[in-house]
Amino acid sequence: MQKAIRKYFPIFVLPTMIAFTIGFLAPFLLGIWLSFCKFTTVTDAKFIGIGNYLKILGDAEFIHSMWYTALFTIVTVIVINVLAFAVALLLTKGIKGTNIFRTVFFMPNLIGGIVLGYIWKLLLDGILAYFGRTLTYSEVYGFWGLVILVCWQQIGYMMIIYIAGIQNVPGDLIEAAKIDGATSRQILRHVTIPMVMPSITICTFLTLTNSFKLFDQNLALTNGAPSKMSELLALNIYNTFYGRAGWEGVGQAKAVVFFIMVGIIALVQNKLTRSKEVQQ
Amino acid sequence: MKKKRLIALLLTAAMTGSLLAGCGSSGGDSGDSGSSGGSDASGKVYYLNFKPEQADQWVELAKQYTDETGIQVDVQTAASGTYESQLKSEMAKDEAPTLFQVNGPVGLATWKDYCYDLSDSAVYKDVSSDDYVLKDGGQVLGIAYVIETYGLIYNKAILNDYFDADYSTVKSIDDLNNFEALKTVAEEIQEHKDDLGVQGAFTSAGMDSSSDWRFKTHLANLPIYYEYKDEGITSTDAIKGTYLDNYKQIWDLYLNNATCDPSMISSKTAEDANAEFGLGEAVFYQNGTWAYNDVKDNEVADEDMGMLPIYIGVEGEEEQGLCTGSENYWCVNKNASEEDIQATLDFMQWVVESDEGRDMLANQMGFVTPFTTFSDYLPSNPLVQANEEYTEAGKIPVSWNFTTMPSENWKNNLGSALLEYAQGTGDWNGVVTAFVDGWAEEYAAANAE
């Protein structure tokens, strides 16, 4: 059987491979090629070398977006993971109605980003109206608005992954720790957390890349206002692409830089958390 | 073992087979529709429409044409503010729009490599003047299909109540012909708003993307217009901002005498402003003839709608008329197949020459067009009639110079600066910078090779 699988491996992989090529590889390579071109529509481009990349260097808005995104990512990764883990711990204690709570926490994740953005815009603007402010009053409001939004959306999803991880911790380990006289805090610190390290790897990876790539929520909630100060990287790229005639290539070049950045950060993060995982 | 291998082979064959079948059948479909299109009528039309206000009417008109001739006409309308991005992605497709729009000389610069020369087309022969076409060298690349007018739409009934009131300084609409008078009227209305039963003199100056173009584009046209007029030019690579103080005056007036607090405008939308005007909660509403569709059939009767020029306090503005021009130019995609181009030209001709087309454009959509064929079809839109009154009275219309604004980015930056000034997080210098320095920067950025 092993041999047969090995022999027919290319055929089995073929359908996925074709889909992957059409849906990912081809656009990706086209995108890199376009970042060296000047174009209006993607089907007719003229090669101009690295001019697009040079234009990024002088773009203060891009640099601002980068720091803003970095800060946003740090805050959301910490808040989402800590809260999701806490909720997961609570909901594995066997309290009444656990399943209902899990469902309720998970539900926000089923709503699309744009819709969520508009809903939260209404809610937050409604509250801020009492103080004579709106979400776009300053980028600080936009920042925390976005943090609240993505937390609300993603905590439930990460919670499910953590619950799966916590439930997989072998009961005998915990029992042994208890017999040895460990307090519940010690059990959490020295048994549960090391054992759910794989879930932590996945969840930090997901939240990290999600926060970095955040687009629709940003578009719907503040659309970069005021004065592009609350513009995350993805939205900045989009606006560069469509904001000026002749700057499509620069937007594309930014996208390539963006890809490399997200790639490096995700790899480093993966390596760091992987090294903390223990073999069961 | 043999059997298993056979099954495996069959399974893979089925899998890849279905994949190919998927591609094949969809390819077959498009081939079919192409050939059936070719048998009875050649070519088809795909119109990417810019104006969401008239989206439904275009679809209806397209259906009428298809029923009459059998030629397929698809109409898509881009949501407010997304036309350029949608056009960019649609044009990259195999089934690209055959008929699209540019907003003027700056828009044409982006798209001129895609524009078919319309100088031999029937539609061009119907245009009353070359003022309404976009030319590049000897080629006619864009033809305006609607002439629009904007100004301060006002509610005659409430304004008359104000004129009759004992506290009013300005007593008739004829005296309301400069900025000082407008300021007096607006401030007195605001002061006595409860008495007049309104919430403010002006509708909310919404800076949501559905409404911010009223200020960052249309209102900004006035300082540009006067500067161009002084300099005797029609476009520039660097604006001086001579009339920015006037821009500030009118913006302050809008902000301080409105239905809402200036710090709230970022969340106000075009619907809010339409509702406020339509329900008689505000007297003045800066918008254009196209807004008629959105405010009609509410509490404000048609005969109570009028339009005033936007006075910004420039010497001699008593003679100023409304802002009239076009930012809707039809362009035909030159990369479309020959049959499709021909079908598109036929469709355009039908729209401006047939009874159905003219009725739809003039009466349903409420358009004033630059075509000679429309002499019997003047729209019933009261805002259009207001414009005719000004033209007859010999007032000088303000041309639409915002089509020469260097880029979308310039408008967006100006909009942000206006908003920050309004909510108090920025000062007026920010607006000046965005206007003057931004112009030079954006012009250089958009025109650099």
Side-chain angles (χ1 to χ4, degrees), chain B residues 194-399:
Chain B
D194 297 331
D195 186 41
L196 292 164
V198 295
Q199 295 186 1
F202 291 95
T203 57
S204 55
M207 290 303 281
D208 177 81
S209 62
S210 60
S211 158
D212 60 353
W213 46 265
R214 293 195 286 134
F215 312 106
K216 69 183 187 187
T217 310
H218 286 181
L219 188 59
N221 182 54
L222 288 139
I224 297 173
Y225 165 76
Y226 278 108
E227 181 168 337
Y228 281 6
K229 202 172 143 191
D230 283 357
E231 312 274 326
I233 50 178
T234 54
S235 71
T236 180
D237 54 357
I239 199 118
K240 290 188 191 134
T242 330
Y243 291 96
L244 280 183
D245 287 342
N246 303 79
Y247 191 42
K248 180 172 186 294
Q249 279 190 54
I250 188 85
W251 182 234
D252 282 339
L253 193 69
Y254 283 179
L255 293 176
N256 298 330
N257 301 291
T259 53
C260 78
D261 201 58
S263 64
M264 301 305 294
I265 58 171
S266 73
S267 61
K268 294 288 178 188
T269 62
E271 286 77 31
D272 288 328
N274 284 331
E276 286 158 15
F277 184 80
L279 297 175
E281 291 171 357
V283 186
F284 298 108
Y285 177 25
Q286 186 216 307
N287 212 333
T289 45
W290 57 87
Y292 172 63
N293 281 341
D294 293 325
V295 295
K296 69 177 178 187
D297 302 332
N298 275 313
E299 288 189 14
V300 184
D302 278 10
E303 61 269 20
D304 282 341
M305 289 183 206
M307 207 192 295
L308 275 175
I310 304 172
Y311 298 115
I312 60 168
V314 175
E315 194 114 341
E317 65 185 356
E318 286 78 5
E319 290 310 306
Q320 178 192 318
L322 300 166
C323 304
T324 300
S326 185
E327 60 161 353
N328 289 277
Y329 293 88
W330 270 337
C331 297
V332 175
N333 183 357
K334 131 173 127 179
N335 299 334
S337 72
E338 238 166 78
E339 299 86 55
D340 287 354
I341 290 179
Q342 193 50 51
T344 306
L345 294 176
D346 292 344
F347 174 66
M348 288 160 74
Q349 184 177 5
W350 181 82
V351 168
V352 302
E353 289 181 5
S354 74
D355 290 343
E356 293 91 336
R358 289 187 293 176
D359 177 64
M360 184 63 91
L361 254 62
N363 299 331
Q364 312 287 327
M365 302 189 196
F367 285 165
V368 185
T369 67
F371 302 113
T372 51
T373 48
F374 275 79
S375 48
D376 299 333
Y377 286 87
L378 291 174
S380 53
N381 185 337
L383 302 176
V384 170
Q385 283 156 4
N387 183 39
E388 273 158 27
E389 285 160 23
Y390 275 99
T391 316
E392 274 164 29
K395 307 280 182 184
I396 304 152
V398 174
S399 58

Side-chain angles (χ1 to χ4, degrees), chain A residues 60-258:
Chain A
E61 281 161 12
F62 187 67
I63 310 290
H64 170 83
S65 287
M66 214 151 77
W67 288 115
Y68 194 76
T69 311
L71 191 66
F72 174 75
T73 309
I74 293 169
V75 172
T76 51
V77 165
I78 294 172
V79 174
I80 291 176
N81 282 293
V82 168
L83 288 179
F85 190 78
V87 174
L89 268 183
L90 273 179
L91 295 185
T92 45
K93 292 268 188 259
I95 39 175
K96 225 175 173 188
T98 297
N99 278 332
I100 294 173
F101 280 119
R102 286 183 191 174
T103 316
V104 169
F105 278 118
F106 186 74
M107 286 232 284
N109 199 57
L110 303 175
I111 310 173
I114 290 280
V115 179
L116 265 188
Y118 278 113
I119 294 173
W120 276 96
K121 185 183 163 144
L122 288 176
L123 288 174
L124 295 171
D125 270 342
I127 295 167
L128 287 172
Y130 285 109
F131 307 99
R133 295 272 190 273
T134 62
L135 256 184
T136 47
Y137 184 77
S138 91
E139 73 269 26
V140 180
Y141 291 89
F143 183 88
W144 291 106
L146 267 177
V147 170
I148 293 172
L149 197 168
V150 294
C151 283
W152 192 71
Q153 185 181 24
Q154 292 185 16
I155 282 177
Y157 191 80
M158 301 307 151
M159 173 200 77
I160 295 288
I161 300 177
Y162 281 126
I163 286 178
I166 292 170
Q167 282 176 337
N168 268 339
V169 179
D172 46 349
L173 268 183
I174 299 194
E175 217 180 312
K178 272 186 185 153
I179 290 168
D180 288 346
T183 62
S184 58
R185 179 174 299 220
Q186 281 169 323
I187 293 176
L188 176 68
R189 174 70 190 83
H190 296 287
V191 181
T192 314
I193 290 183
M195 292 309 284
V196 298
M197 228 28 225
S199 306
I200 294 179
T201 308
I202 297 170
C203 286
T204 39
F205 175 78
L206 284 176
T207 43
L208 193 80
T209 48
N210 279 349
S211 304
F212 237 93
K213 298 184 304 183
L214 199 74
F215 175 76
D216 14 2
Q217 290 87 339
N218 191 200
L219 179 78
L221 197 70
T222 66
N223 197 9
S227 296
K228 304 192 171 176
M229 296 306 278
S230 68
E231 199 175 56
L232 294 175
L233 273 180
L235 187 61
N236 178 275
I237 292 170
Y238 174 85
N239 284 338
T240 312
F241 197 95
Y242 291 118
R244 281 181 195 146
W247 278 60
E248 292 86 353
V250 182
Q252 196 57 48
K254 281 183 182 178
V256 172
V257 172
F258 180 57

Side-chain angles (χ1 to χ4, degrees), chain B residues 127-140:
Chain B
V127 178
S128 58
S129 149
D130 266 5
D131 290 344
Y132 302 116
V133 300
L134 291 173
K135 284 188 166 183
D136 187 57
Q139 295 186 318
V140 177

Side-chain angles (χ1 to χ4, degrees), chain A residues 1 4 7-8 11-12 14-15 18 38 40-44 46 55 61 121 125 129 132-138 223 225-229 238-239 241-248, chain B residues 1 4-5 8-9 12 15-16 19 84-85 87-89 91-92 110-111 114 208-209 261 263-267 407-409 412-413 416-417 419-420 423-425 442 445-446 448-449:
Chain A
M1 197 58 207
K7 198 167 172 192
Y8 290 108
I11 300 173
F12 280 116
L14 196 67
I18 292 173
K38 187 180 171 68
T40 306
T41 60
V42 295
T43 40
D44 79 273
K46 198 171 82 219
K55 279 184 181 159
E61 281 161 12
K121 185 183 163 144
D125 270 342
R133 295 272 190 273
T134 62
L135 256 184
T136 47
Y137 184 77
S138 91
N223 197 9
S227 296
K228 304 192 171 176
M229 296 306 278
Y238 174 85
N239 284 338
F241 197 95
Y242 291 118
R244 281 181 195 146
W247 278 60
E248 292 86 353
Chain B
M1 202 61 206
K4 261 189 188 159
R5 196 175 286 179
L9 205 72
T12 10
M15 246 149 81
T16 42
L19 203 77
E84 276 295 300
S85 48
L87 182 59
K88 263 179 200 169
S89 58
M91 288 298 265
T110 312
W111 292 106
Y114 295 83
D208 177 81
S209 62
D261 201 58
S263 64
M264 301 305 294
I265 58 171
S266 73
S267 61
S407 70
E408 278 304 306
N409 214 25
N412 293 342
N413 292 344
S416 304
L419 172 62
E420 290 204 39
Q423 59 189 16
T425 47
E442 288 298 325
E449 270 314 306

